[in-house]
Amino acid sequence: GEQKKWYEYWKDARMKWHLSLGMGESEYRFHDHDKLAHYADAAADIEFKFPFGFKELEGIHSRTDFDLANHEKYSGKKLQYFDPELGEHYVPYVVETSIGLDRMFLQIISAAYTEETLTKEDGSSDSRVVLKLPPVLAPVKLAVFPLTKKDGLPEKARKIMDEMKFDFNCQ
């Protein structure tokens, strides 16, 4: 009887996760399903604005007790929960979130690919292609590069690395 509350909870939680990537709230939207599967009582997709338009990233579905009840029916194994306060057995409802690695990879790469215009000293401009990964996904969080191998810089770089390596993935 609380599946709608939990469905809304998971919609909110999953959108917060997507927004934590730092790509901006305007890049995402919910698409609520008008036509539902016979076993569902709510369904929505989180869509991302790709260069070719908004497309589904993740599905969130309130599947009622259809999956577990059918599994129980055909496997012969009891999948019920006993609520000691109510003294009742019931088959739990399922709220499913489904996200694919391939879609996430496409989202990250398409959003990270940018072109920058550089202004030269003579006033002319040039452009370059840059890959800007969201900081939370960047595999290396800190890189220390001494500019020269003299004047004690390698030792200072090593000291910085030793101080930071427990807090950051460093190179």
Side-chain angles (χ1 to χ4, degrees):
E2 296 184 352
Q3 72 273 17
K4 293 284 181 108
K5 176 182 87 170
W6 287 103
Y7 169 75
E8 292 300 328
Y9 168 86
W10 281 107
K11 278 179 68 175
D12 182 59
R14 295 305 301 146
M15 183 60 84
K16 283 179 181 172
W17 183 85
H18 286 284
L19 293 173
S20 75
L21 298 176
M23 294 185 200
E25 203 168 327
S26 64
E27 303 300 301
Y28 297 93
R29 70 180 185 192
F30 281 109
H31 173 259
D32 293 315
H33 292 210
D34 295 326
K35 294 182 179 181
L36 298 173
H38 68 280
Y39 52 79
D41 62 5
D45 296 328
I46 295 176
E47 295 183 333
F48 179 75
K49 188 166 74 176
F50 288 96
F52 44 86
F54 275 100
K55 299 293 178 194
E56 178 188 345
L57 268 184
E58 178 171 358
I60 303 160
H61 304 265
S62 178
R63 299 177 60 92
T64 67
D65 64 351
F66 180 81
D67 298 315
L68 295 178
N70 274 297
H71 187 72
E72 182 179 70
K73 178 180 174 181
Y74 293 109
S75 71
K77 300 210 186 258
K78 198 171 187 179
L79 294 175
Q80 296 181 6
Y81 172 77
F82 177 72
D83 187 331
E85 291 180 19
L86 299 176
E88 295 177 357
H89 287 90
Y90 64 88
V91 176
Y93 277 40
V94 172
V95 176
E96 171 197 38
T97 64
S98 177
I99 186 169
L101 179 61
D102 54 347
R103 292 178 191 182
M104 283 303 303
F105 182 79
L106 180 60
Q107 174 208 10
I108 299 302
I109 291 299
S110 65
Y113 172 86
T114 59
E115 292 186 40
E116 293 181 346
T117 302
L118 306 171
T119 305
K120 298 180 182 178
E121 289 182 19
D122 65 2
S124 63
S125 63
D126 201 1
S127 66
R128 67 179 180 181
V129 175
V130 180
L131 184 66
K132 293 183 177 181
L133 293 174
V136 297
L137 296 179
V140 175
K141 306 298 183 195
L142 175 72
V144 181
F145 301 106
L147 298 175
T148 179
K149 291 185 178 184
K150 51 187 172 178
D151 299 328
L153 288 181
E155 292 77 17
K156 288 179 183 176
R158 177 56 49 204
K159 184 178 179 201
I160 292 170
M161 284 286 294
D162 289 341
E163 289 175 11
M164 304 304 276
K165 67 185 176 186
F166 296 109
D167 298 315
F168 300 97
N169 185 8
C170 304
Q171 289 188 2

